[in-house]
């Protein structure tokens, strides 16, 4: 079992936001692993271990796309227990969902993992596009917003419970597949691999790196490549900003829908509140302030029938 | 109101670790070859995250709930047991311990950085962790293989708690006067006696307790030379190594005290039924030597308590002062329409905050410097370097312990003062920091004892070698840097301060040599304060010189040559702001704190004996 987990670095959601020239000022910001990606790493580790032992049942490969400094965040995933890592260098400003999805697709072709596991979205851009795009490009089945994962004993399929409006939807995908995870994936019994005792309860939340894990992390392989090494010409955004777009990028619109704010609230809610995880059936509701139709949410039609690509670009 | 109770100044911790001391030098020691900066940076980030998310949340509620004593059992506040186990499972118990102890053999100076997080996150809990770590280290060093095999793995896993049992109701500082006795029946030792103020002496976080007990054996000489050290478990290990038969150790009650409410301070009764089995550590009558062996480390642990809690209080007060709006700028006092400003803008508040900043960063530098020498003493290849470093550790340890705990308390006092009424109420954490820090000046050898140690032992050993080495180091630095482009004036003041300190030391030394015992001892505490002031001033100036070079490099790379562009740079770029503030902090310390040494020197020179003359 080989799992490719994607990881992005984001400005620490716990920091106070600085505004400069009507835009977020990222200088001197502390960066952390995107919380949802951290949950994906945790889920991948739970899938590939026998809890309570040091036995590894598979390999977890962490993939990051971002600037060189990002090795720090990648090392922290290795310290959690991932086996090795790949960093594709790119400038944060140049990366959009489409570019990242192309990179993930290319790495998939080289690594051929059994599963691509991703956070459902990052808490900076809050786009929620890359997992769907990757599944589409690779023509792989997908299960997004997974709040529980159950790996079949034969390791040929994965049963995912997906967060949807008003409840969860169970969906079995054959492997290889793409899955994205939601907040509740890190509840004590959300991930089963048919090796760890079914009654085992993990501590809630992504695991903390142990001292041993941290000191081991630097010896684990971390491969740094450029997009060109993957056969991708450059990482500039495919859609060039039109007139007025620059201004929109810089000035947050005063709307409740402004995604960054909701994302931050979401991550912070997770960090602060113990009770929240259990109480809220659909945590995604935090990022969707008003009810929207299934069609508008975009992913449902695509995901009900296995294997079709995302509809939302 | 600040977002969080727990705030860490990771920037200054990193500065003190990687720039303040010669961290790269440690990498050349074989035993620290794993400790490269990149790994330790990762370690600091992960440790900060863990202590912030897992440990810090139990501190406030634990303080309010406190420990309970019911039906002969001690209960710790909610969440303490889980937190204790989480610390052990994640390997944060004793990271400088060798691998045979479950540690990673990391440098002591790194342990101090993590320790600051542990103390800051939950002081009460950190005491349990530190004691188990200390007990394990002591057994690893001196106990028989049999004892090590039975107790070490359990202590390291955090399932058994280690304690230090010295104090009795009638014998605290005078530990030689204890009444606990050990008798031998056949091959088996038994102890009888009552110990008080035993931190973590009993609680529900672990399944067993391992007490390290000082006692007089039957024919031993009186006083500290007759003390032997015993391992006394609460439950004897059974054949499987698990807690078996009860060993006649009873917790008779817990203290209700000013601070560290989450830590159980116990009265322990050994051998009420004469059935309390004990196991000798090392040789008979060598107990105090073994205790002293670990004392240096334990005193650094108490220093940490001073630094960690003072830093928490200061960080909180600083965040608060930036947000609390009150009054107008002093220049606009008469303008009723003037804009209301944050209290951090008021000169008196700024002075208090700067005092706290200077003291916190100064005590941190002092602690790291000492821990760094400890690492060199343990790890350097060159024997001469090892000896010299060990001498520095000997000299600095009592200064570290007493200075950080006393000045740390002062920091918490000012933090409350900055916050006014809100600092005084229990809704905010700073009053808790003040209550929790107070004990640091009392236990592990009270600060009066530290001053006596400095004056009576550390100044006189090897004909004053420790002192002379320290003096030469400081004078040498002041001489090398006396033409510093920016800090020339402060360095000259420091050089004079060093001379003044040296002369005062000689004055006290002469008195002692003339057979006057009382007067030097009367001056011991002010002398220790003076020593701390001058050494910390030196360390902060050393840091400021480094900061100056880094700041100049940033001025060049950012093309900030005039003050206007520099101010803009400082406003935007936290790195340059940090370095700029570092220089001002050192200046403040020299002018506002170190210069008080002149008064202390005058006082000591005066030979005023009025305190001794007091008729009681």
């Amino acid at each position: 079992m080989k799992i490719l987990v994607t990881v992005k670095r984001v400005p620490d959601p716990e920091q106070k936001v600085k505004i400069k020239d009507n835009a977020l000022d990222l200088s001197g910001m502390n960066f952390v692993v995107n919380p949802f990606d951290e949950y994906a790493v945790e889920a991948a580790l739970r899938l590939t271990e026998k809890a309570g032992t040091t036995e590894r049942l598979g390999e977890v490969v962490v993939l990051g796309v971002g600037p060189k400094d990002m090795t720090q965040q990648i090392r922290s995933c290795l310290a959690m227990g991932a086996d090795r890592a790949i960093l594709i260098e790119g400038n944060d400003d140049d990366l959009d969902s489409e570019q990242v999805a192309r990179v993930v697709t290319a790495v998939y072709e080289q690594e051929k993992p059994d599963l691509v596991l991703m956070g459902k979205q990052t808490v900076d851009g809050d786009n929620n596009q890359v997992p769907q795009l990757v599944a589409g490009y690779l023509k792989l089945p997908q299960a997004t917003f997974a709040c529980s994962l159950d790996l079949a004993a034969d390791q040929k399929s994965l049963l995912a419970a997906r967060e949807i409006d008003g409840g969860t939807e169970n969906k079995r995908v054959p492997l290889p597949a793409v899955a994205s995870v939601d907040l509740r994936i890190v509840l004590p019994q959300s991930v089963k691999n048919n090796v760890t005792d079914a009654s085992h309860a993990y501590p809630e939340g992504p695991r903390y790196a142990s001292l041993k894990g941290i000191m081991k992390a630097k010896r684990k392989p971390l491969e740094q490549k450029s997009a060109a090494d993957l056969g991708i010409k450059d990482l500039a955004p495919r859609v060039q900003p039109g007139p007025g777009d620059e201004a929109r990028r810089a000035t947050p619109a005063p709307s409740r829908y402004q995604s960054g704010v909701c994302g931050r609230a979401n991550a912070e809610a997770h960090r602060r509140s113990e009770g929240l995880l259990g109480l809220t059936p659909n945590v995604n509701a935090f990022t969707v302030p008003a009810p929207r139709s299934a069609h508008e949410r975009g992913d449902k039609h695509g995901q009900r029938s296995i294997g079709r690509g995302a509809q939302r670009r | 109101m600040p977002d969080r109770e727990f705030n860490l100044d990771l920037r200054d911790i990193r500065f003190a670790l990687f720039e303040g001391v010669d961290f790269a030098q440690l990498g050349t020691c074989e035993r620290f070859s794993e400790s490269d900066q990149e790994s330790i940076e990762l370690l600091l980030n992960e440790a900060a995250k863990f202590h912030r998310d897992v440990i810090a949340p139990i501190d406030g509620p634990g303080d309010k709930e406190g420990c309970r004593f019911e039906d002969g059992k001690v209960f710790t506040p909610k969440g303490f047991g889980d937190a204790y186990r989480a610390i052990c499972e994640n390997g944060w118990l004793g990271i400088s311990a060798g691998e045979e102890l479950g540690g990673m053999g990391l440098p002591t100076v790194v342990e101090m950085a993590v320790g600051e997080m542990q103390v800051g996150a939950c002081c009460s809990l950190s005491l349990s962790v530190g004691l188990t770590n200390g007990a394990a280290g002591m057994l690893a060093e001196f106990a028989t293989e049999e004892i090590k095999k039975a107790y070490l793995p359990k202590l390291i896993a955090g399932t058994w708690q280690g304690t230090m049992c010295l104090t009795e109701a009638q014998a605290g500082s005078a530990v030689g006067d204890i009444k606990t006795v050990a008798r031998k029946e056949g091959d088996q030792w038994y102890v009888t006696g009552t110990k008080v103020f035993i931190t973590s002496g009993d609680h529900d976080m672990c399944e067993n307790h391992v007490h390290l007990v000082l006692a007089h054996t039957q024919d031993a000489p009186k006083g500290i030379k007759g003390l032997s050290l015993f391992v006394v478990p609460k439950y004897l290990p059974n054949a499987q190594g698990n807690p078996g038969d009860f060993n006649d150790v009873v917790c008779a009650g817990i203290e209700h005290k000013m601070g560290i409410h989450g830590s159980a301070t116990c009265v322990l009764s050994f051998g009420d039924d004469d059935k309390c089995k004990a196991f000798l550590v090392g040789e008979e009558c060598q107990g105090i030597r073994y205790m002293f062996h670990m004392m240096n480390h334990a005193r650094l642990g108490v220093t940490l308590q001073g630094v960690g809690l003072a830093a928490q209080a200061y960080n909180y007060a600083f965040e608060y002062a930036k947000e609390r709006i009150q009054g107008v700028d002093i220049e606009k006092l008469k303008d009723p329409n003037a804009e209301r400003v944050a209290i951090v803008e008021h000169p008196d508040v700024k002075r208090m905050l700067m005092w706290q900043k200077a003291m916190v960063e100064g005590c941190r530098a002092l602690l790291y410097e000492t821990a760094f020498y400890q690492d060199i003493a343990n790890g350097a290849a060159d024997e001469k370097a090892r000896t010299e470093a060990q001498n520095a550790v000997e000299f600095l340890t009592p200064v570290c312990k007493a200075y950080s705990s006393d000045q740390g308390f002062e920091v918490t006092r000012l933090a409350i003062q900055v916050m006014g009424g809100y600092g005084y109420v229990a809704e905010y954490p700073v009053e808790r920091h003040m209550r929790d820090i107070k004990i640091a000046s009392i236990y592990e050898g009270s600060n009066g004892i530290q001053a006596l140690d400095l004056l009576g032992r550390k100044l006189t050993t090897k004909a004053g070698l420790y002192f002379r080495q320290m003096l030469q180091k400081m004078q040498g630095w002041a001489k090398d840097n006396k033409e510093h482009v920016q800090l020339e004036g402060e360095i000259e003041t420091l050089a004079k301060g060093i001379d003044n300190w040296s002369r005062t030391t000689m004055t006290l030394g002469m008195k002692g040599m003339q057979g006057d015992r009382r007067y030097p001892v009367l001056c011991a505490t002010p002398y220790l304060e003076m020593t701390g002031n001058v050494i910390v001033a030196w360390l902060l100036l050393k840091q400021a010189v480094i900061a100056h070079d880094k700041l100049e490099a940033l001025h060049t790379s950012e093309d900030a040559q005039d003050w206007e562009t520099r101010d803009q740079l400082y406003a935007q770029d936290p790195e340059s702001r940090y370095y700029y503030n570092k220089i001002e902090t050192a200046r403040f310390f020299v002018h506002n704190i170190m210069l008080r040494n002149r008064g202390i020197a005058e006082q000591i020179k005066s030979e005023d004996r009025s305190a001794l003359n007091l008729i009681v």
Side-chain angles (χ1 to χ4, degrees):
Chain A
M1 183 80 185
K2 178 162 156 184
I3 304 179
L4 184 69
V5 186
T6 57
V7 165
K8 188 187 180 187
R9 70 164 206 182
V10 296
D12 188 345
E14 299 228 357
Q15 282 174 113
K16 282 197 182 123
V17 178
K18 286 186 293 179
I19 306 285
K20 195 178 122 194
D21 301 335
N22 278 338
L24 289 181
D25 177 12
L26 293 184
S27 64
M29 277 265 174
N30 185 31
F31 285 90
V32 297
V33 177
N34 170 42
F36 289 110
D37 295 343
E38 220 174 1
Y39 308 155
V41 173
E42 172 64 28
L45 291 171
R46 289 186 190 181
L47 284 171
T48 52
E49 71 188 0
K50 187 176 180 195
T53 70
T54 51
E55 201 182 331
R56 304 277 301 134
L57 312 165
E59 188 184 27
V60 174
V61 183
V62 169
L63 166 64
V65 190
K68 249 198 167 101
D69 301 353
M70 204 193 148
T71 48
Q72 205 189 344
Q73 284 76 35
I74 290 183
R75 290 272 178 217
S76 89
C77 296
L78 293 174
M80 283 172 77
D83 300 283
R84 63 187 172 89
I86 303 165
L87 170 61
I88 309 299
E89 280 169 38
N91 186 351
D92 278 338
D93 286 345
D94 296 339
L95 298 170
D96 62 11
S97 303
E98 210 275 335
Q99 295 294 336
V100 175
R102 293 273 171 209
V103 171
V104 178
T105 304
V107 173
Y108 176 90
E109 296 295 357
Q110 286 187 354
E111 291 283 333
K112 294 286 180 199
D114 301 294
L115 176 66
V116 182
L117 207 51
M118 311 173 89
K120 68 165 181 177
Q121 65 200 52
T122 54
V123 300
D124 53 355
D126 269 349
N127 289 324
N128 178 9
Q129 290 170 328
V130 180
Q132 295 87 333
L133 284 169
V134 170
Y137 292 152
L138 288 169
K139 300 198 166 36
L140 287 179
Q142 61 175 309
T144 49
F145 312 120
C147 61
S148 85
L149 292 171
D150 188 343
L151 181 65
D154 64 3
Q155 302 207 339
K156 291 208 167 117
S157 70
L158 189 67
L159 179 65
R162 302 181 53 240
E163 300 272 14
I164 58 170
D165 288 347
T168 55
E169 173 199 65
N170 289 331
K171 172 177 180 180
R172 183 174 291 282
V173 287
L175 297 180
V178 177
S180 77
V181 299
D182 212 325
L183 185 56
R184 291 200 295 167
I185 197 70
V186 290
L187 285 177
Q189 296 190 300
S190 290
V191 179
K192 309 251 186 246
N193 65 1
N194 275 298
V195 178
T196 296
D197 194 77
S199 64
H200 180 80
Y202 281 93
E204 188 176 301
R207 67 195 60 191
Y208 292 92
S210 71
L211 180 60
K212 279 207 170 75
I214 292 164
M215 298 311 287
K216 259 194 226 159
K218 75 169 165 196
R219 276 188 235 113
K220 292 180 175 173
L222 196 169
E223 214 180 326
Q224 301 196 33
K225 291 186 191 175
S226 67
D229 296 338
L230 298 169
I232 298 170
K233 270 191 194 139
D234 64 63
L235 278 181
R238 183 163 291 200
V239 182
Q240 292 303 323
D245 278 3
E246 270 308 320
R248 237 183 295 143
R249 255 180 101 185
T251 315
S255 152
R256 293 178 60 210
Y257 294 82
Q258 192 59 40
S259 52
V261 179
C262 295
R264 195 168 304 116
N266 204 349
E268 219 165 82
H270 159 66
R271 288 215 186 274
R272 288 186 172 189
S273 146
E274 291 168 20
L276 190 66
L277 288 174
L279 289 174
T280 320
N282 184 0
V283 179
N284 200 29
F286 279 92
T287 56
V288 186
R292 286 195 282 173
S293 72
H295 179 70
E296 236 182 310
R297 269 185 58 164
D299 55 324
K300 268 191 188 165
H301 294 291
Q303 292 179 22
R304 279 263 161 76
S305 55
I306 291 173
R308 282 181 56 196
Q311 301 195 336
R312 188 172 168 186
R313 281 279 174 96
Chain B
M1 173 178 175
D3 290 351
R4 265 200 302 267
E5 290 199 353
F6 179 68
N7 299 286
L8 273 181
D9 187 354
L10 262 183
R11 184 64 191 91
D12 196 65
I13 290 175
R14 278 171 43 229
F15 180 88
L17 195 55
F18 300 125
E19 298 166 88
V21 299
D22 187 1
F23 190 78
Q25 194 192 335
L26 292 181
T28 64
C29 302
E30 201 192 326
R31 68 186 278 168
F32 303 130
S33 56
E34 295 284 294
S35 304
D36 56 292
Q37 184 168 343
E38 197 193 342
S39 300
I40 302 302
E41 294 252 16
L42 177 66
L43 181 151
L44 292 179
N45 285 335
E46 296 297 322
K49 194 163 75 175
F50 172 80
H51 288 97
R52 179 194 68 197
D53 294 351
V54 181
I55 308 302
I58 65 169
D59 194 32
D63 174 66
K64 289 191 176 67
E65 187 184 336
C67 291
R68 284 175 296 124
F69 181 69
E70 283 167 15
D71 301 331
K73 289 192 183 121
V74 180
F75 299 91
T76 50
K78 186 169 168 262
F80 271 53
D82 288 342
Y84 184 80
R85 281 182 287 279
I87 286 179
C88 299
E89 278 164 17
N90 284 285
W92 299 117
L93 181 144
I95 64 176
S96 71
E99 291 196 29
E100 75 282 4
L101 282 172
M104 293 298 288
L106 294 174
T108 311
V109 66
V110 175
E111 185 174 52
M112 293 301 134
V114 175
E116 180 179 333
M117 300 176 194
Q118 223 157 60
V119 169
C122 183
C123 179
S124 292
L125 187 69
S126 74
L127 302 177
S128 289
V129 176
L131 279 163
T132 298
N133 182 21
M138 150 95 82
L139 292 181
E141 185 85 23
F142 299 111
T144 59
E145 285 305 316
E146 203 183 340
I147 292 180
K148 280 196 232 178
K149 222 173 110 192
Y151 294 96
L152 278 185
K154 297 284 189 182
L155 286 170
I156 290 149
T159 45
W160 294 8
Q161 167 78 53
T163 76
M164 312 294 297
C165 302
L166 284 77
T167 300
E168 296 178 10
Q170 79 293 347
S173 294
V175 69
D177 295 342
I178 60 168
K179 288 180 182 160
T180 298
V181 290
R183 66 176 196 284
K184 207 170 187 179
E185 291 177 15
D187 283 342
Q188 183 63 56
W189 288 97
Y190 291 85
V191 292
T192 322
T194 303
K195 299 282 182 182
V196 300
F197 296 157
I198 306 307
T199 304
S200 299
D202 200 11
H203 57 60
D204 58 349
M205 299 192 288
C206 303
E207 56 181 32
N208 200 4
H209 278 69
V210 183
H211 306 293
L212 293 178
V213 180
L214 276 186
H216 278 116
T217 50
Q218 274 149 322
D219 308 320
K222 278 193 169 178
I224 60 169
K225 292 209 166 108
L227 294 174
S228 299
L229 183 68
F230 294 91
V231 175
V232 183
K234 180 178 172 189
Y235 297 104
L236 293 160
N238 64 16
Q240 289 79 42
N242 295 319
D245 293 338
F246 177 65
N247 192 33
D248 198 12
V249 183
V250 177
C251 177
I254 60 172
E255 307 294 339
H256 301 277
K257 50 198 191 295
M258 176 181 179
I260 51 168
H261 289 167
S263 170
T265 306
C266 304
V267 178
L268 291 181
S269 196
F270 294 91
D272 282 354
D273 299 326
D274 290 332
K275 286 179 191 154
C276 183
K277 289 185 181 172
F279 306 91
L280 184 67
V281 176
E283 292 169 30
E284 233 178 291
C285 296
Q286 295 292 320
I288 204 69
R289 187 166 70 84
Y290 306 144
M291 278 290 175
F292 266 113
H293 184 87
M294 67 167 293
M295 215 70 105
N296 275 350
H297 202 77
R299 285 178 179 170
L300 290 189
V302 179
T303 310
L304 260 182
Q305 194 176 347
V307 175
L309 287 170
Q312 285 301 313
Y314 160 62
N315 291 342
Y316 196 89
F318 185 45
E319 292 302 317
Y320 178 90
K322 285 193 285 191
E323 289 178 11
R324 170 78 172 164
I325 308 291
Q326 195 87 173
V328 299
D329 190 286
I330 191 76
E331 308 273 357
K332 299 176 187 160
L333 215 49
K334 291 191 175 149
D335 174 6
N337 298 319
E339 188 195 359
R340 267 53 187 161
V341 297
I343 59 171
V344 73
E345 302 296 339
H346 301 317
D348 190 53
V349 173
K350 238 179 186 164
R351 174 191 63 78
M352 289 192 279
L353 288 167
M354 184 55 134
W355 201 98
Q356 296 171 62
K357 175 172 156 57
M359 201 45 97
V360 167
E361 293 181 6
C363 288
R364 185 180 285 131
L366 175 63
L367 173 62
Y368 285 26
E369 185 85 0
T370 311
F372 175 76
Y373 289 135
Q374 182 74 70
D375 288 325
I376 297 294
N378 292 343
D382 175 32
E383 199 187 325
K384 187 164 167 275
R386 280 207 305 270
T387 317
E388 261 183 39
Q390 187 59 42
N391 292 349
V393 173
E394 297 293 336
F395 187 81
L396 289 173
T397 300
V399 183
C400 263
K401 193 274 181 187
Y403 192 79
S404 300
S405 52
D406 275 345
Q407 304 300 335
F409 182 80
E410 190 65 14
V411 170
T412 61
R413 181 185 77 76
L414 285 174
I416 292 178
Q417 194 66 24
V418 164
M419 293 175 61
Y422 290 105
Y424 192 67
V425 297
E427 191 184 342
Y428 294 88
V430 286
E431 61 87 30
R432 179 172 85 231
H433 298 141
M434 186 190 220
R435 289 185 285 104
D436 283 353
I437 204 173
K438 185 56 212 157
I439 187 63
S441 59
I442 298 169
Y443 60 17
E444 199 55 49
S446 73
N447 285 2
I449 294 286
Q450 304 300 322
L452 287 182
D453 181 41
L454 176 68
L455 196 75
R457 204 173 289 140
K458 303 300 164 66
L459 281 185
T460 55
T461 311
K462 299 184 188 167
L465 177 69
Y466 301 165
F467 167 74
R468 275 182 282 125
Q469 268 182 14
M470 203 69 222
L471 185 67
Q472 277 162 14
K473 217 178 288 208
M474 290 160 69
Q475 281 174 333
W477 184 87
K479 202 174 152 202
D480 291 347
N481 291 278
K482 73 174 179 192
E483 280 162 19
H484 192 270
V485 56
Q486 193 184 2
L487 292 157
E488 189 186 16
E490 281 75 16
I491 291 171
E492 195 190 331
T493 310
L494 173 74
K496 284 183 191 159
I498 295 170
D499 289 345
N500 192 17
W501 174 59
S502 163
R503 278 196 304 275
T504 307
T505 310
M506 293 307 153
T507 307
L508 285 174
M510 291 302 286
K511 282 271 150 222
M513 266 149 57
Q514 288 158 7
D516 184 350
R517 292 210 160 198
R518 249 171 232 283
Y519 188 71
V521 166
L522 180 68
C523 297
T525 292
Y527 174 74
L528 187 143
E529 186 186 343
M530 184 183 194
T531 306
N533 283 343
V534 72
I535 294 176
V536 168
W538 167 55
L539 292 173
L540 284 179
L541 277 175
K542 255 189 359 174
Q543 290 193 343
V545 167
I546 296 165
H548 168 86
D549 293 346
K550 305 252 170 163
L551 188 60
E552 283 303 309
L554 283 170
H555 287 159
T556 311
S557 68
E558 301 292 322
D559 197 24
Q561 297 312 328
D562 56 276
W563 279 110
E564 202 177 322
T565 32
R566 284 181 185 181
D567 279 343
Q568 277 172 10
L569 176 68
Y570 303 155
Q572 283 166 15
D573 171 39
E575 276 298 283
S576 57
R577 187 165 64 237
Y578 174 80
Y579 289 128
Y580 172 81
N581 284 338
K582 193 81 192 169
I583 296 167
E584 294 303 317
T585 306
R587 281 197 159 131
F588 178 89
F589 195 96
V590 169
H591 294 296
N592 295 270
I593 301 175
M594 194 203 78
L595 276 184
R596 293 178 185 188
N597 278 1
R598 293 184 184 174
I600 299 177
E602 286 292 313
Q603 174 201 334
I604 291 176
K605 238 180 3 194
S606 74
E607 291 200 36
D608 166 55
R609 291 170 186 254
S610 46
L612 292 174
N613 295 343
L614 187 72
I615 300 168
V616 289

